[in-house]
Amino acid sequence: MKTYHLVATELKRLTATGMAKLALVALMLVPVLYAGLYLWANNDPYGNLKDVPVALVVEDTGATVDGEPVDYGQQVEDQLLEDESVGWIVTDADTAEQGVRDGTFDFILTLGPDFSTALTSAEGDAPTQAVVELTTNDTNSFLATTIAGQVAEKVRASITEQVGKEAALKLLDGFATVRENLTTAVDGADQLADGTATASDGGQQLASGAGTANIGALTLADGLQQLQAGSAALPDQANQLNDGAQQLSTGLQQLQAGSATLPDDTARLNDGAQQVAAGNAQLATTASGLATQVQDAVNQAAAVRTDAEAAIAASALTPEQKQALLADIAQIATAVDDGNTKVQAANTQIGELAAGSAAVAAGTQQLADSAPQLSGGIATAASGASQLATGTQQLADAAPTLTNGIASAAAGASQLAGGVTQLAQGSLDLAGGLGTLDSGADELRDGLASGLDDVPNQTADQRETAAQTISDPVAVDSDAVTKASNYGAGMAPFFISLAAWIGIYALFLIVKPLSRRALTAMKKPFTATTAGWAAPALLGAVQMIAVFGIITLALGYQVEHPWGMLGFMVLTSATFATIILALNILLGSVGQFLGLVLMVLQLVTAGGTFPWQTLPGPLQVLHQVLPMSHAVDGIRQLMYGGDVSLAGADAGALFFWLVGALLVSYLGARRITRHRTLRDLRPSLIG
């Protein structure tokens, strides 16, 4: 009997009665129902989170920033209700707490009364971290707690981004204001630098002019001191001259009265006249020199006055100080001019006196020579002597005033020299200070310009973009090599593999591992083993085709390599059939139970939910060995469009398990063949 005859016989046995057919159909539908219903139920749980009831409690009382009210709690509430990430229900704290206890709400998100106050506290002296309070209850759902944590983190990130953007925008606006002020400061610093440079040049000129004025003032003071020394004897000399002139006038009058005695007195008169003429000539010479010195001093004083007035006008003195100095200089100049006028007048009178004395001397000489004509000359001399006496009297009266004026001028010149000396020293100090100020102004201008370059020059739109970048500096750019369409598609490889094992396991509840009658009659263990595997493998292939239809047609999951995936699923089912066949042949009902245990072990180690690297060390080793791990990985590669070579390696691992399990089944059948009897030909009571 051939293998296909044995397979056909087994299939006829499984469909011999209506109840058998019903049992076969029911067991064939086990993997379809398992995979289809589970994947349908978990097709897109994250997309349905909007139906999860979540209490939102907003107790925020708001805050005030720069005189403007802000209410971040209300903003967050509006954003969450608009987002609809979960089923938000706005309520009060008491209702929310009761609801999360009795299951009305899965969790609570609470914004406290000081939420806005805390978010705006960074601008004050006591910054406080705002708190989003999350209340969960694992009796509602453990995964709901996990989802609550993700939702709370999303809310926290959104609030952080919003507040961070506002803070960054304020900072950047502040920088913009600083830049505007710095620009104004730089312009002012440029003007200041120009002004200080001009002031420094003016200070140097003032110092130079003050130095020149100081030299002139000292020269004027020295000249007036010399003039004062030279004119000290002028009053006495003028008095002596006046006494002589008075005596001459008296004598001439007496001479005129007593002209009878003229011949006798002629000689005496001539001698006196000659002495007077000599004295007057000497006095005229002295007066002329003194007048010349006074005129020179006056000229020097005029030049000094001009320099001093120019230096004072260019100085940094206050207008009141300038006016006082100019008034002193004008007073001194007036006194000097008055003294010079009087000296010149006295000099003129002395000259006239000298001329008169000479005339008197000539007259007395003529008188001596010509006594007869002396009477007329005496009258003339008497008149001239009278005029001379009047002039010398005026000179004597004016001499004290002249000497006092010269003394006052000398004292004023000394004061002027001292003031101009102080002015010169102050001008030097001023020039040095203005130089330092100019250097500091240049440094200020350069520093402000450098600081201005360091402050970003951004428009309002650029500041808005920069604030957004600062508040949310990192964006996740997802680039998936392969991607499942949704959560159900992501779990499909695991549940397909599990459904394949469950389907084969259920079939072996009614399928005979070996036909004992055929094994006894034919003595062909390989044929019997092949037939015992082929029947469940064929039925398992039908199951996989049905599961594949549910996945692609009913659930609409996208499969990148549909024929390859279908073939891989059939290979997976056939491999599982050989493994359960081997367990049944070797251990019978115990082997069937171990098939259940092996399913549980693979359920843990297949890595269908969490990454297998999260398993404990021994289970990681089993993950690399057990067949369901390769089944899950191969289906993933073919379904999502991954590496086909990896799917080929997984297929090779499954084929290795298939061949190995067939070999074990053959050896078990061979062992059974050696111990078979005719009693094994009787039909089984179980059927």
Side-chain angles (χ1 to χ4, degrees), residues 372-385:
Q373 299 176 355
L374 183 57
S375 296
I378 290 173
T380 301
S383 177

Side-chain angles (χ1 to χ4, degrees), residues 672-683:
I672 294 173
T673 302
R674 293 176 181 177
H675 298 87
R676 300 299 288 171
T677 65
L678 290 176
R679 259 191 302 182
D680 294 325
L681 296 175
R682 287 182 294 182

Side-chain angles (χ1 to χ4, degrees), residues 39 482-486 488-494 496 548 551-552 555-562 564-566 568-569 632-642 647:
L39 292 176
T482 62
K483 185 178 182 181
S485 57
N486 54 25
M491 298 298 294
F494 174 61
I496 291 172
F548 185 80
I551 290 173
T552 56
L555 297 178
Y557 295 159
Q558 181 179 357
V559 177
E560 295 295 331
H561 302 286
M565 177 176 166
L566 180 58
F568 192 90
M569 291 170 61
V632 172
D633 184 67
I635 294 175
R636 281 174 177 168
Q637 300 295 336
L638 295 169
M639 184 175 181
Y640 305 151

Side-chain angles (χ1 to χ4, degrees), residues 20 34 52 56 70 149 330 335 453 519 676:
Y34 176 81
V52 175
L56 177 61
V70 295
D453 294 336
L519 189 63
R676 300 299 288 171

